[in-house]
Amino acid sequence: GIATGLAQEGHKVVAYSIGNFPTLRPLEQIRNDAAYHNANVKIVCVGGGFSYGALGMSHHATEDLSILRALPNVSVLAPATDRETAEATRHMMATDGVFYLRLERASTPMPEGTDDKPVTIGKIRTLREGSDVTFVGAGAVLAAAFGAAEVLAAEGISCRIMSAHTVKPLDADALIAAAKNTRVLITLEENTILGGLGGAVAEILLENGAAPQKFLRMGIPDTYTSIVGDQKYLMGLYGLETKALAAKAKSLLGGQ
């Protein structure tokens, strides 16, 4: 509420906290104050997904992508790499309106050369070319996709990896092309699969008559995670790791 008031007086305001605290606790104020008035408020989360996994469910940010993308006037950014994070921050601070920026606690190691290509906010970034399977992810979960791509490449399966660093507005053209050019499309998110990136991708593809041969949402099912553990451990529980992703992709391809 204070952030919106300051924004209405001409200030550019950043509201920041860890995990789900900058989104779920003040959700009414984000909706009724900032978003409704299209105020110049930037909401920043450091520690998306299971970044604070060892602190338990109260600190897991695993519904924020779904909830924030449902609010009008809110742009949702979930960068995966250092370059994407820098560009998302610059764009957010230079553009009027309400933004939600979801970050990791720290940089996630990616293969060398991943950040060579430029970043355009609002446009999906293809990090690896491939012709059989497309992985579309938001955030550092894409690191597991690179591992899966290497496992599958050893078996002659070619994987495309795409970073949906801008979850809203989502790049429809790139998704439609991927659905038409690869047989399997798998979405990855450290978020519930209900209404998140996977749901947004499915909406775009079906509404444009571009359904892939096989489609799968990988993320957190309709449950609370009562188990505590570090981020890597909790992601593994839901198959968001190299071996599980490779196995799912191979199964969808028919076990070739």
Side-chain angles (χ1 to χ4, degrees), residues 217-236:
R217 297 169 299 160
M218 293 290 289
I220 302 160
D222 188 16
T223 185
Y224 290 113
T225 303
S226 57
I227 297 172
V228 298
D230 65 17
Q231 186 176 24
K232 182 178 179 181
Y233 175 76
L234 293 177
M235 289 174 69

Side-chain angles (χ1 to χ4, degrees), residues 21-138:
F21 301 122
T23 56
L24 297 192
R25 287 188 176 185
L27 181 59
E28 180 178 349
Q29 286 72 35
I30 294 172
R31 177 184 183 270
N32 294 358
D33 298 344
Y36 180 67
H37 293 94
N38 199 22
N40 203 9
V41 174
K42 322 302 179 184
I43 304 153
V44 179
C45 153
V46 171
F50 291 125
S51 295
Y52 288 94
L55 297 180
M57 174 271 215
S58 64
H59 283 62
H60 298 166
T62 50
E63 305 87 19
D64 50 327
L65 295 181
S66 304
I67 293 170
L68 272 294
R69 70 171 282 260
L71 297 181
N73 295 333
V74 179
S75 299
V76 179
L77 307 176
T81 71
D82 292 347
R83 187 168 186 175
E84 290 177 3
T85 298
E87 187 55 43
T89 303
R90 281 192 288 265
H91 177 86
M92 176 180 75
M93 298 307 294
T95 307
D96 288 343
V98 185
F99 280 80
Y100 175 52
L101 176 60
R102 188 205 224 208
L103 303 175
E104 300 293 315
R105 289 179 69 183
S107 297
T108 300
M110 296 284 181
E112 186 176 351
T114 298
D115 255 351
D116 291 349
K117 295 182 179 180
V119 180
T120 302
I121 299 304
K123 297 294 182 182
I124 281 177
R125 189 169 177 235
T126 300
L127 305 180
R128 177 179 176 134
E129 296 290 350
S131 56
D132 295 317
V133 177
T134 295
F135 290 111
V136 182

Side-chain angles (χ1 to χ4, degrees), residues 135 141 186-191 193 198 216-220 238-241 244-245 248:
F135 290 111
V141 67
I186 299 174
T187 61
L188 308 173
E189 57 195 310
E190 210 173 333
N191 185 79
I193 59 172
L216 179 67
R217 297 169 299 160
M218 293 290 289
I220 302 160
Y238 298 108
L240 296 172
E241 52 86 25
L245 293 181
K248 285 288 187 182

Side-chain angles (χ1 to χ4, degrees), residues 140-152:
V141 67
L142 279 174
F146 278 105
E150 289 299 318
V151 171
L152 293 168

Side-chain angles (χ1 to χ4, degrees), residues 156-174:
I157 298 171
S158 174
C159 295
R160 180 180 304 185
I161 299 177
M162 303 170 71
S163 176
H165 51 77
T166 308
V167 176
K168 180 187 177 185
L170 196 51
D171 185 357
D173 291 341

